[in-house]
Amino acid sequence: MVYGRINKAITYIDTDDFSDTRVLGDNTTNESFVGLRGEAKIGKDLSAGYVLEIQEFFDYDGGGLNDSDGVGVRQSYAYIKSAYGQVSVGKQSTATDDIFLSSANTDAVLHPLTSQPLFGLEPFEGFKANVVRYNSPVFEGFMLSASWGEDDSKDIALRFAKVVGDFKLYAAAGYRETDDYELSYSNDDKVISLAASGLHVPTGLFASAYYGSLDLDGYAKVDAYQVVGGVEREIFGALSRRERPSLGHPTLPQMTIAVLMLHIAVGQPGKP
């Protein structure tokens, strides 16, 4: 199966250090990519498959002026799936990667708790690396994930996604430790991530709240909070939100307007 995402836009950023920054291209918090996926049954209740994704990478300079750094592998891993869950090996998302999802389709432009709303770093989420990952079966909307990888980096996450009455709900909690300086911001990062989101299906009104705590090996600590609210409307199509995959992204074009966004980050120095 061939799949992918195109996320091109004209964006404008006005900050103290990089005022009047205009960029034409990908938003680096949600890049365009193309992927290949294959799966085959190898037993009565056992399947095996692979995923390969290619994307264009960008250099991040802190202000969104991101030049292309060439095309490379976004994800490349193999997996085995059974009634007891899925185990995958290779370059892929760690357990806390993309933990800050929303019940609405806001991820295409604004990704929660980045260092800035567009083209920002994502210190409170996981990343893509060579890891072994386990995903549990989904039970009553809950799914547990855990991963371990290079230089003893490890994380665990619990996600919940379900339609209850007229509400589409999403919640998640994650914890990550990373010892490799090249994959983190210090020699021993510890990150706590929390997310909660709800969307009222008939009206399209939604609200989301996010929290992240980053401990940089005792040298500094940053706590960040963000709330987002707005309204979502489908442009066309008859597929109900109730019929969409609970732990996936929307499958039809939509217009989503975020009418309220508040982001607070509080940092403090650590022990000398």
Side-chain angles (χ1 to χ4, degrees):
M1 179 180 70
V2 179
Y3 62 96
R5 174 177 68 213
I6 298 176
N7 186 7
K8 301 292 184 181
I10 299 174
T11 58
Y12 173 81
I13 306 171
D14 187 359
T15 66
D16 291 337
D17 297 328
F18 297 91
S19 60
D20 298 333
T21 299
R22 296 172 178 84
V23 179
L24 174 61
D26 278 28
N27 181 351
T28 55
T29 64
N30 211 334
E31 303 94 339
S32 303
F33 71 92
V34 61
L36 298 171
R37 179 191 295 270
E39 183 175 299
K41 291 188 70 66
I42 58 176
K44 182 180 178 181
D45 298 314
L46 197 63
S47 301
Y50 70 91
V51 171
L52 174 63
E53 294 179 355
I54 305 296
Q55 76 170 64
E56 185 178 13
F57 289 91
F58 296 87
D59 290 328
Y60 175 78
D61 66 2
L65 294 175
N66 47 358
D67 296 326
S68 175
D69 198 26
V71 175
V73 175
R74 183 175 186 263
Q75 296 195 96
S76 177
Y77 64 90
Y79 64 87
I80 295 178
K81 182 169 60 175
S82 72
Y84 300 99
Q86 175 177 299
V87 176
S88 50
V89 180
K91 184 178 181 181
Q92 60 187 308
S93 292
T94 61
T96 56
D97 193 23
D98 291 331
I99 196 170
F100 293 132
L101 295 181
S102 170
S103 297
N105 185 29
T106 59
D107 296 332
V109 177
L110 298 174
H111 206 56
L113 293 190
T114 54
S115 57
Q116 57 188 35
L118 300 173
F119 306 100
L121 299 174
E122 301 173 63
F124 303 104
E125 286 198 292
F127 39 79
K128 292 173 176 61
N130 289 310
V131 298
V132 178
R133 173 168 170 165
Y134 169 74
N135 291 338
S136 74
V138 178
F139 178 74
E140 295 294 329
F142 288 93
M143 185 181 76
L144 179 68
S145 301
S147 61
W148 173 85
E150 300 168 316
D151 295 292
D152 203 29
S153 63
K154 47 192 173 291
D155 55 355
I156 187 170
L158 179 65
R159 292 174 171 85
F160 171 79
K162 193 173 183 178
V163 175
V164 179
D166 288 334
F167 291 89
K168 181 181 177 184
L169 306 176
Y170 172 80
Y175 176 77
R176 169 169 59 90
E177 288 188 9
T178 307
D179 298 330
D180 184 357
Y181 183 79
E182 303 221 345
L183 296 175
S184 60
Y185 301 91
S186 70
N187 288 324
D188 186 13
D189 288 359
K190 295 180 177 63
V191 181
I192 297 173
S193 305
L194 301 173
S197 180
L199 181 146
H200 186 237
V201 176
T203 63
L205 294 172
F206 69 90
S208 304
Y210 308 97
Y211 167 76
S213 176
L214 172 62
D215 185 346
L216 298 174
D217 197 17
Y219 293 104
K221 184 177 180 181
V222 177
D223 293 315
Y225 312 82
Q226 185 172 4
V227 293
V228 180
V231 62
E232 177 179 281
R233 285 286 186 268
E234 291 185 356
I235 299 176
F236 56 84
L239 182 62
S240 167
R241 293 185 184 91
R242 298 171 183 267
E243 299 171 330
R244 293 184 183 142
S246 296
L247 291 170
H249 291 282
T251 56
L252 287 177
Q254 296 175 342
M255 178 177 66
T256 305
I257 302 175
V259 296
L260 169 66
M261 184 173 72
L262 174 64
H263 184 160
I264 301 175
V266 180
Q268 60 183 3
K271 300 176 182 179

